[in-house]
Structure formats: C-alpha cells, structure tokens
Amino acid sequence: MTVQQTRLCGLLLREHFGEVVEKVGTHLLRSGAQNLRTIVQETNLSVDLVKKCLCVLVQHGACLFTAGRKGPGSPTEYRACCDRILRVLRYPRYIYTAKTLYGDTGELIIEELLQRGHMTMSSTVKTVADRLTQNMEEGHSLDYNKVSSTFSKLVETHFLQRCPPVGAAGTSGSAAPAEAPATPAAPAAAVSTALPTPESFPDCYTVPQVTLVGRGKRQLVPEDGEDQRNAKRAKMTSETHGDEGIYWQVNFERFHQHFRDQAIISAVANKLDQTSSEIVRTILRMSEVTTSPTATCTKPLSANEIFRSLPASYNIPRQILDQYLTLLVDDPMEFVGKSGESGGGMFVVNLHRALANLARATLESIVQERFGSRSARIFRLLLRKRHLEQKQVEDFAMIPAKEAKDMLYSLLSHNLVQLQ
C-alpha cells in the first residue's frame, strides 16, 4: 500500500468518523494485523476508546477481525481494509444508481445502509418509511409494505446481501451493532475476508419473513424531543419482527458490475445505434444475477429468449433482431459473440474483450488529444503489431522519417512506448 493511499484513507476516516477513528484506522493500515493490547499501547488511547473505534470500523466493513495467528486461545487480531475505505468515494454514485433504478425508496435504503454499515430489514424499512413520510404532505404517509417490496427487489437483483455469519455458530453480521462496543474485543472465530457468494452462503439473498404492519410516522421534535426519541428507540428495539440477528449490507461488487454493464451499453450506442444498445442491455439484464463478476462472458442466451425479453416499446421484428445480432457479432469491437446454433443461435456478451477494447480506445483518444492524429496512428500501430523497428514504423504509418522519429521520442519521454 502506498503512502498516498494511506493518507487518503486517513482523510476519509476523519471526515466520516472523526479524528480518533482515523488514528486507529491509519495505525492498522500502516502496521497490518494487530491485537487489541498492541493497538492500545501503540496509539496511546484508552482501551474503551480503542474498542469503540474498532467497533465503528468493523460495523462499516473497514476492519476485519480473525483468530490470532499463534493458534487457539491467542488474542483476536484486527486488520484494516484499504479497498473498503476507498469505496467511500463512490458512495454518491451508489446512491444515485439506486435512485435511478428504484426511485426515492431505493435511494434512501442504500443511503441508510451505507451510513450505518449494516442493519436489519425491519429497522431499515421503518427508518426509510419515516423519512419519506416526513417529506410528504400533511395527512399522507407511506406504507411499510411498499418499502419492504423495494427492499426485496434490491435483494432479488443482488444489490443487497446478508452479512456473512461469524464462525460456525451462525451469528449473522460481521460484528455486533454499534451499541455494543465491547463485542469486537472478545475472541472470535475466523471471518472470511471475501464477500459472501450464493455458492458459499446459501441464504445470502434469501429475504426473511418479516411481520411489519403500519405506516411511516412523522417525528415531532419539541424541546424535550431527545427524551421522546430515546423512548421511541427503546420501544422499537423491544418489538420483534421475525428478522432479529439477520443483518444486511450493500453488495458493492454488484454495483461495480452494473457500472461495467452501463459502460458497455453506452459504447455500443455510440458505435452502432440505440437499437443495438437495447439488445445488448437485454442480454446483460437477463444474465446480471447468474453471471459472476469475474466471468469473461455472460451466460449464453438463444435468439428466441432475447426476442421474448426485448421491451415491447421497441417493436423489433424477429428478422430485424437476427440482422442486428449478426451485425454485433461481426463488429470488430467484439461486444457480442456467438457460442452455438440452437434456438436461433446462442449469444453472449464478451465482457473482458469489450472492456479491453474500450480501454484501448480510451488510450488512443488520449494520445490523439495530447500528441495529434499522426502520433495516435503510430501508437495504434504499435498496439496492433506489439514490436516494430523505427524504419518499419515509418513505412507502415506512412510518415516521413524525421517526423516519425520526433513523435516516437515524444511518446517515449511520456512513458507511452518503450524501447527494447
């Protein structure tokens, strides 16, 4: 990890959680895995304060705790996650994406879960319903069932997932809630550092049966409002809704997968036309839940399945669809590939190849903007041929020797090409 990454993580922790959490977090980033006693000694903070900081970090997934490396009975060790802290920079984009896909309700559900790390479904639904009711006209309120429905849709499309169980005991959540700061200090079984997948954790995307009846309430805050809020919070925690101990978190990998899909759809629209991009969008939408984030291509789909799933508003006849699919398969950017002939042909979106071509096109456009079209021609030639002598570059690019030499030197001085 670079010094600049650690510094950026420290600034993000300070902005969101304060200076004390920043001190513990940056110490763990620099020192690696450490037990509670070592952290207390090296940060010169009190034990209670360090416990509370660790609890905040664990609650938000910025810190993992595992059994000690010295064997059974050794103290629990804590390790900060740089990648998870840096994701805070993308919070606005995650929230905006949820708003685009699922409206205000989806936006507030994601916002609440990002702000609090992880929550139960019932408490999330109540909080979001209350917030939406607060912004409605007098006499109007939002039913809990509507928020529950949106929550279920987010789980169904894998934007939300259950927190993995801690150890073999099956306790849900990556840590206890923030109200119990002493919990992380206790020895615990090893926690998986990877996000749970449906294969390793069968209930990852299973929505529990939650008994929630009622509507959102407006919060009136008079002078003694703090006491009322505390009493209300105590009353809420005493109720049971059937999902106690089942905590939910945002599935960041699913959001990143959505961003990747949108980049591919946008590129197809720019390269070909809107109808082609809608066909690619349909293939990606049908495969979004079944395709692994690291897969090289989507699940194969027949032309018949794609035809049935196309939006009715586009009104594309079957013959036109076949022509568009052939056009996409033959396109040099290789966004879509053909993997079989059954059902009118089996088609996949070549994810890795499409992203590699997009990255190459971006590089070429940067070189063209900074060094001109002739330098971009040389750069494109080297990308395609990999290794060329200076004389070959001059001949293939059809550029005079003196100019080609100057352009190659400019690209070399900016580390865009290498001399071997």
Side-chain angles (χ1 to χ4, degrees):
M1 188 190 311
T2 64
V3 175
Q4 294 302 328
Q5 274 183 315
T6 306
R7 185 164 172 267
L8 176 58
C9 288
L11 291 170
L12 289 169
L13 289 174
R14 178 188 292 188
E15 183 181 350
H16 286 80
F17 307 115
E19 293 181 5
V20 185
V21 175
E22 178 211 358
K23 187 173 183 179
V24 174
T26 49
H27 174 73
L28 285 173
L29 287 169
R30 289 176 183 142
S31 308
Q34 288 192 332
N35 58 44
L36 180 63
R37 181 179 292 179
T38 310
I39 298 169
V40 171
Q41 288 173 349
E42 295 185 6
T43 56
N44 294 321
L45 296 171
S46 68
V47 177
D48 286 341
L49 208 53
V50 171
K51 284 181 180 179
K52 287 176 182 177
C53 292
L54 288 171
C55 191
V56 169
L57 291 170
V58 171
Q59 174 88 5
H60 289 268
C63 176
L64 295 172
F65 58 94
T66 55
R69 288 169 288 183
K70 295 179 182 178
S74 58
T76 303
E77 291 184 335
Y78 301 89
R79 180 168 56 85
C81 308
C82 178
D83 291 343
R84 179 63 186 77
I85 298 169
L86 292 176
R87 283 177 184 169
V88 173
L89 293 168
R90 289 185 176 177
Y91 278 11
R93 194 174 179 190
Y94 298 143
I95 294 168
Y96 178 73
T97 302
K99 182 181 177 70
T100 307
L101 296 173
Y102 297 101
D104 293 342
T105 310
E107 174 194 9
L108 289 184
I109 289 171
I110 296 296
E111 185 183 327
E112 283 293 325
L113 284 166
L114 288 174
Q115 283 184 346
R116 304 196 190 190
H118 57 259
M119 299 171 69
T120 61
M121 179 178 174
S122 54
S123 60
T124 307
V125 168
K126 283 188 172 186
T127 306
V128 170
D130 290 347
R131 283 185 63 183
L132 287 168
T133 300
Q134 197 74 23
N135 295 324
M136 288 180 170
E137 295 178 5
E138 196 68 39
H140 291 78
S141 61
L142 188 70
D143 196 292
Y144 287 154
N145 288 332
K146 289 187 178 178
V147 184
S148 297
S149 174
T150 305
F151 192 100
S152 299
K153 286 177 184 174
L154 284 162
V155 176
E156 187 183 328
T157 49
H158 293 191
F159 285 106
L160 297 180
Q161 61 186 185
R162 285 195 192 188
C163 295
V166 178
T171 313
S172 289
S174 55
E179 287 77 19
T183 303
V191 174
S192 172
T193 57
L195 284 170
T197 60
E199 291 79 15
S200 62
F201 181 29
D203 295 329
C204 187
Y205 302 108
T206 305
V207 181
Q209 291 292 330
V210 179
T211 53
L212 265 177
V213 180
R215 306 180 73 84
K217 300 175 181 64
R218 296 179 187 276
Q219 292 185 1
L220 303 173
V221 187
E223 291 180 4
D224 57 343
E226 193 63 34
D227 297 332
Q228 289 188 6
R229 282 203 300 273
N230 291 337
K232 186 174 181 181
R233 193 179 293 120
K235 186 181 177 184
M236 273 181 60
T237 53
S238 65
E239 295 175 7
T240 56
H241 301 288
D243 67 337
E244 286 70 31
I246 300 174
Y247 291 93
W248 295 88
Q249 63 188 1
V250 174
N251 183 3
F252 296 103
E253 295 305 321
R254 178 67 184 86
F255 274 100
H256 298 162
Q257 186 181 334
H258 178 76
F259 299 154
R260 178 200 67 193
D261 292 350
Q262 291 303 114
I264 292 172
I265 292 163
S266 176
V268 173
N270 292 334
K271 181 79 165 46
L272 299 171
D273 62 0
Q274 196 64 37
T275 307
S276 301
S277 72
E278 198 59 42
I279 292 168
V280 173
R281 186 198 303 275
T282 302
I283 298 172
L284 289 169
R285 192 181 68 243
M286 292 169 72
S287 311
E288 62 185 1
V289 175
T290 54
T291 303
S292 164
T294 56
T296 56
C297 57
T298 60
K299 176 186 170 186
L301 294 168
S302 69
N304 294 331
E305 289 176 301
I306 297 168
F307 179 69
R308 285 196 297 269
S309 300
L310 280 171
S313 58
Y314 272 78
N315 196 23
I316 303 173
R318 178 59 200 271
Q319 293 80 8
I320 301 297
L321 173 65
D322 290 340
Q323 290 174 13
Y324 267 107
L325 287 169
T326 305
L327 181 70
L328 284 163
V329 170
D330 294 340
D331 188 79
M333 291 291 274
E334 299 180 282
F335 288 110
V336 176
K338 198 169 185 180
S339 64
E341 298 296 335
S342 60
M346 301 295 286
F347 297 91
V348 297
V349 176
N350 297 316
L351 300 170
H352 282 198
R353 204 169 294 169
L355 291 175
N357 285 328
L358 285 177
R360 176 178 289 193
T362 305
L363 281 173
E364 289 172 6
S365 67
I366 290 169
V367 173
Q368 181 161 342
E369 233 173 78
R370 291 186 63 184
F371 303 101
S373 58
R374 288 189 165 191
S375 294
R377 193 192 306 170
I378 292 173
F379 187 76
R380 200 177 294 118
L381 187 64
L382 288 170
L383 274 177
R384 194 166 298 162
K385 301 287 187 181
R386 293 187 177 274
H387 300 94
L388 287 174
E389 294 178 1
Q390 186 175 324
K391 183 73 172 68
Q392 291 175 306
V393 171
E394 296 163 11
D395 293 343
F396 289 151
M398 293 183 289
I399 297 173
K402 186 176 182 303
E403 288 182 32
K405 189 176 180 181
D406 291 343
M407 290 171 186
L408 281 169
Y409 179 75
S410 295
L411 293 171
L412 187 66
S413 62
H414 287 83
N415 293 323
L416 289 167
V417 300
Q418 287 181 325
L419 189 62
Q420 187 173 328

